[in-house]
Structures are given as structure tokens and as C-alpha cells.
Amino acid sequence: GPAPGGRQGQALQRARRQGPGLGGGHGLGIFVHQYGTKSSRKRVTVDSNQFWKLLSDSGLVSSDDLQKIAASFDAARAEIDCQPSFRGLTEAETLSKWLVQQKVVSDFQADILAKGASGPFKYGNYTVVGRTVSGPLKDSFFAVHRATGHPVLLQFLPGYEPEDLAAWQQIDSLV
């Protein structure tokens, strides 16, 4: 079924089906860091109550959806605890992994929440779901346009003024 979170959840689900790097890549040489791998997944540094609070504070899901997600998690606990991939995890790690599997949050978002931060994940009309770690657009952010579900790359330009023509020409040369 559709991911929790209404239009945003559905947009995130569509973008995640397309995979990392703008729908499978458009020749830009972009690699989106996959936070869910054993080598890159950081241990959760918060407890499960803090994780729920951070998820609420993040604005990734509405308070109504949060209650439904919590009820679904509680109802699924017995089944979750029997799965080998969840053995040995703390409750907060289990919650983080389950939320990613349910496509409530992306691997990237879960990793940020697990480190004790609530984001920010929303910038204007976009929700950040990942970050590029190599290629010509390194340190750009993979995002989803909330209204349409279209995947985009966002690049934040610290210190640049919109009128700085040289900065825009440098960016234009990358794409």
C-alpha cells in the first residue's frame, strides 16, 4: 500500500522505487550514499522514545500518521522480533530499520534521526531523502518535489549571492 505520510509519503515511495541518482542516473556520475548498508549504517545513538520524538519533530510525517505508524510498529513487533535481520538490534535500531523497510523514511533520514537530529529535511517544496558523495555534484542532496513526486538534486551554495554570475557559470559547467 501507499507509504504513510500522505502525498509526501507517496512521493517518497515513488522516488525510492526509481532508486538513487535521479531515477537510475542520467550520465551525471552521481552516487547517492546508501546509509542502509552494514558498512555505512551508524549505530543509533538515541533511545526509541527519542527516535519517535525526533521523527515527530522532523515534520516527515503528520501527528495523525505518526500515531498510525506507532500502532503498526507495535502490532508488528512479534513478527519483527522473529526476523533474523533484526536480531541483536536495540529497540531504536529495530525501529529505524523497520521505518526504512516500510518506506516511512529513507536510509539517509533514518541515519540523521539515529544520530539525534530531526533534520532539517524540508527545503521549500522539497524533501531531502539522500546525499551524493562522489561525482561532479558531490555533496548535493537527492530530494523529492512534494507536490509532484519528481526526484531532483538540490545544491546549497553557501556564501553565493544570486547575482554572482561566475558562481552560476561554474555550476552550469557541471551539468
Side-chain angles (χ1 to χ4, degrees):
R7 289 177 97 173
Q8 177 201 337
Q10 292 168 358
L12 174 61
Q13 191 173 28
R14 280 193 304 274
R16 301 237 341 120
R17 276 195 306 265
Q18 291 177 356
L22 292 175
H26 294 325
L28 296 175
I30 296 169
F31 173 74
V32 177
H33 188 79
Q34 293 297 296
Y35 285 83
T37 62
K38 286 184 181 179
S39 63
S40 64
R41 172 66 80 171
K42 304 289 188 266
R43 299 282 298 174
V44 174
T45 60
V46 297
D47 65 30
S48 60
N49 290 330
Q50 292 169 316
F51 198 97
W52 283 115
K53 172 81 168 94
L54 290 164
L55 179 59
S56 175
D57 292 348
S58 73
L60 292 171
V61 295
S62 70
S63 58
D64 288 341
D65 285 339
L66 189 66
Q67 290 177 358
K68 293 174 189 171
I69 293 163
S72 294
F73 179 70
D74 289 341
R77 271 317 291 263
E79 183 182 324
I80 291 168
D81 290 341
C82 293
Q83 295 177 18
S85 64
F86 285 93
R87 287 199 185 115
L89 299 180
T90 67
E91 181 157 342
E93 290 168 337
T94 298
L95 173 59
S96 175
K97 184 173 182 166
W98 182 83
L99 289 169
V100 170
Q101 285 183 347
Q102 299 302 305
K103 299 190 182 335
V104 174
V105 298
S106 69
D107 290 323
F108 174 80
Q109 293 164 339
D111 191 53
I112 299 297
L113 295 168
K115 291 177 182 175
S118 61
F121 298 113
K122 293 184 176 185
Y123 293 93
N125 294 320
Y126 303 94
T127 301
V128 173
V129 295
R131 183 176 185 173
T132 60
V133 295
S134 66
L137 297 175
K138 181 181 178 199
D139 295 327
S140 297
F141 291 87
F142 183 59
V144 175
H145 184 259
R146 285 195 295 274
T148 65
H150 292 168
V152 299
L153 273 180
L154 300 179
Q155 189 170 42
F156 299 97
L157 308 172
Y160 290 122
E161 294 294 322
E163 298 83 24
D164 186 349
L165 183 59
W168 287 110
Q169 288 172 336
Q170 181 181 7
I171 293 166
D172 189 48
S173 71
L174 293 174
V175 293

